[in-house]
Amino acid sequence: MKRCPTCNRTYTDLSLNFCLEDGTPLAPAPDPNATIRYPPARDTSEPPPTEIYRPEPAVVSPRPTVPPPPPPQQQWSPMPTAAPPRKSNAIWWVLGGLAAVLVIGVGLVVMIIALASLGANTNNSNLNANVRNDNRNSNATANANVTNTNTNVNANTTAPLSLVDDFSEKKWGTGTSEFGRIWYDGGEYHMTSKDRFFVVMYAPSDNYSTENATVRVTARSVDGKVPSSGFGLMVHCAQSKTKQLEDYALLIYPGDEPEYEIIMHKNGNQSSLVQRTKSNAIRSGRAPNQLEIRTTATDLFFYANGQYLTRVNDSGNYRRGRAGLYTSDVHEVAFDNLQIERSNP
């Protein structure tokens, strides 16, 4: 048997040399009959490892950048040409003098015309330079806005202004792995994790975009017990360039003294933006709780059952992404009635 050291999937086909999931070279799997050494007790101050269930990993496009303005065009004018040397033959002195007078006369006329033309061209050049500068500044701003607009449109090409998913149709990913289990049951989306792990599921398409949106979902503990690291709603979900978690989440702990927590994933690392805080807005036990996150270009606002909890700044500058769901520990959690309402761009 062989095992992938990256995702820990095992393969019984000994002819395989690379993982079918991520292409990592396979290593011999440990002997199941070997002595098992249990790991030390989990430090609950650190977030547990994570696993993303999704049919196909989302392709993360780098967040758009505004191209720098083009350099100013260099003005160019031809160098004056030298006049040919005059012949010193005495026979041509008279004719040369007449020609010189004629040339000087014509030259004066040409010089006058040239000076007038030069003054006009100089004014035109200055005007054109100013126009180019104005256009460059205008285009830089306009293009920046168009770029952002196009990016938003592209990111939400098929995303309606409102979406309701009551989980009656099986659109989200399901399955069982060494980290947990996700499935549909009774018109709800159920999730459970293994002990000392948490499980994250991102929405199946860009229809679930959370940019400038109000996102709501109903969440409940099936057995009334509280997962050790909470469960809840996620927004601005995407993967980094290294395919790591990046998102924000509102997690709840509906115990006897209910609490909430705001977390952030940055390149796969979880941090707590708002530590666990008691709130009577959250219902205890098996009672369902409606979780709500309102996003703007710079801030996120968090609610439970219609009551305001807190706000945080979008310090990661995520701004966009999909909705997601989060749970931890072995206690089963069910989600229902996901709603997304977006503002007009």
Side-chain angles (χ1 to χ4, degrees):
M1 182 177 292
K2 293 185 177 182
R3 180 180 67 86
C4 175
T6 299
C7 66
N8 292 321
R9 287 176 171 79
T10 58
Y11 300 88
T12 57
D13 187 351
L14 299 181
S15 64
L16 291 176
N17 293 320
F18 298 91
C19 178
L20 299 179
E21 181 67 18
D22 52 32
T24 303
L26 299 178
D31 184 358
N33 296 321
T35 301
I36 298 175
R37 184 177 66 181
Y38 287 92
R42 177 172 67 95
D43 182 2
T44 58
S45 63
E46 294 294 331
T50 183
E51 170 74 359
I52 305 175
Y53 286 105
R54 47 193 313 150
E56 295 181 358
V59 176
V60 179
S61 298
R63 303 186 189 275
T65 57
V66 179
Q73 298 178 358
Q74 298 295 326
Q75 297 185 10
W76 176 86
S77 59
M79 296 295 294
T81 57
R86 291 177 298 174
K87 295 183 180 180
S88 59
N89 197 327
I91 299 175
W92 300 99
W93 274 93
V94 175
L95 295 177
L98 294 174
V101 172
L102 180 61
V103 169
I104 291 173
V106 173
L108 290 174
V109 174
V110 171
M111 183 179 296
I112 293 172
I113 296 174
L115 289 175
S117 176
L118 179 61
N121 290 339
T122 301
N123 293 333
N124 288 337
S125 298
N126 292 333
L127 178 59
N128 291 337
N130 292 333
V131 170
R132 282 197 297 271
N133 289 335
D134 291 343
N135 288 341
R136 183 171 63 250
N137 295 334
S138 177
N139 289 339
T141 304
N143 289 340
N145 293 334
V146 170
T147 300
N148 291 335
T149 301
N150 289 341
T151 301
N152 295 340
V153 170
N154 291 336
N156 301 325
T157 300
T158 59
L161 291 179
S162 63
L163 177 146
V164 176
D165 188 345
D166 61 1
F167 298 103
S168 58
E169 298 182 26
K170 297 182 179 181
K171 301 177 182 179
W172 294 57
T174 59
T176 302
S177 80
E178 59 184 314
F179 298 103
R181 179 180 173 222
I182 301 180
W183 71 101
Y184 280 86
D185 184 24
E188 294 179 310
Y189 193 64
H190 290 247
M191 299 174 64
T192 183
S193 175
K194 297 292 180 69
D195 185 26
R196 292 185 265 181
F197 289 92
F198 68 85
V199 175
V200 167
M201 175 58 78
Y202 286 177
S205 73
D206 288 337
N207 283 351
Y208 296 79
S209 170
T210 58
E211 181 180 9
N212 293 322
T214 297
V215 186
R216 303 183 186 93
V217 74
T218 300
R220 67 183 181 91
S221 171
V222 174
D223 60 6
K225 296 182 180 179
V226 182
S228 59
S229 295
F231 63 95
L233 174 64
M234 312 179 79
V235 294
H236 294 349
C237 300
Q239 286 184 316
S240 66
K241 293 181 180 179
T242 57
K243 296 187 181 300
Q244 301 296 322
L245 295 175
E246 290 196 333
D247 51 61
Y248 296 98
L250 166 59
L251 305 181
I252 60 172
Y253 302 80
D256 294 335
E257 294 183 342
E259 298 175 306
Y260 70 88
E261 181 182 14
I262 309 300
I263 66 167
M264 171 186 181
H265 289 115
K266 180 70 172 179
N267 199 27
N269 297 317
Q270 179 171 312
S271 60
S272 182
L273 302 181
V274 177
Q275 301 290 336
R276 292 175 61 162
T277 304
K278 294 180 181 180
S279 173
N280 56 14
I282 301 170
R283 300 164 185 156
S284 302
R286 294 186 176 88
N289 285 276
Q290 186 187 64
L291 308 182
E292 178 179 332
I293 304 176
R294 302 177 187 177
T295 70
T296 66
T298 57
D299 298 286
L300 299 95
F301 302 81
F302 301 87
Y303 299 79
N305 300 309
Q307 297 187 44
Y308 173 77
L309 298 176
T310 188
R311 67 179 287 181
V312 299
N313 177 258
D314 182 7
S315 57
N317 194 30
Y318 295 157
R319 298 181 56 188
R320 60 181 61 86
R322 302 178 181 180
L325 304 173
Y326 177 113
T327 192
S328 60
D329 206 0
V330 299
H331 303 299
E332 181 180 342
V333 172
F335 296 93
D336 199 5
N337 295 325
L338 176 66
Q339 304 171 33
I340 301 177
E341 297 175 358
R342 273 178 292 276
S343 303
N344 287 314

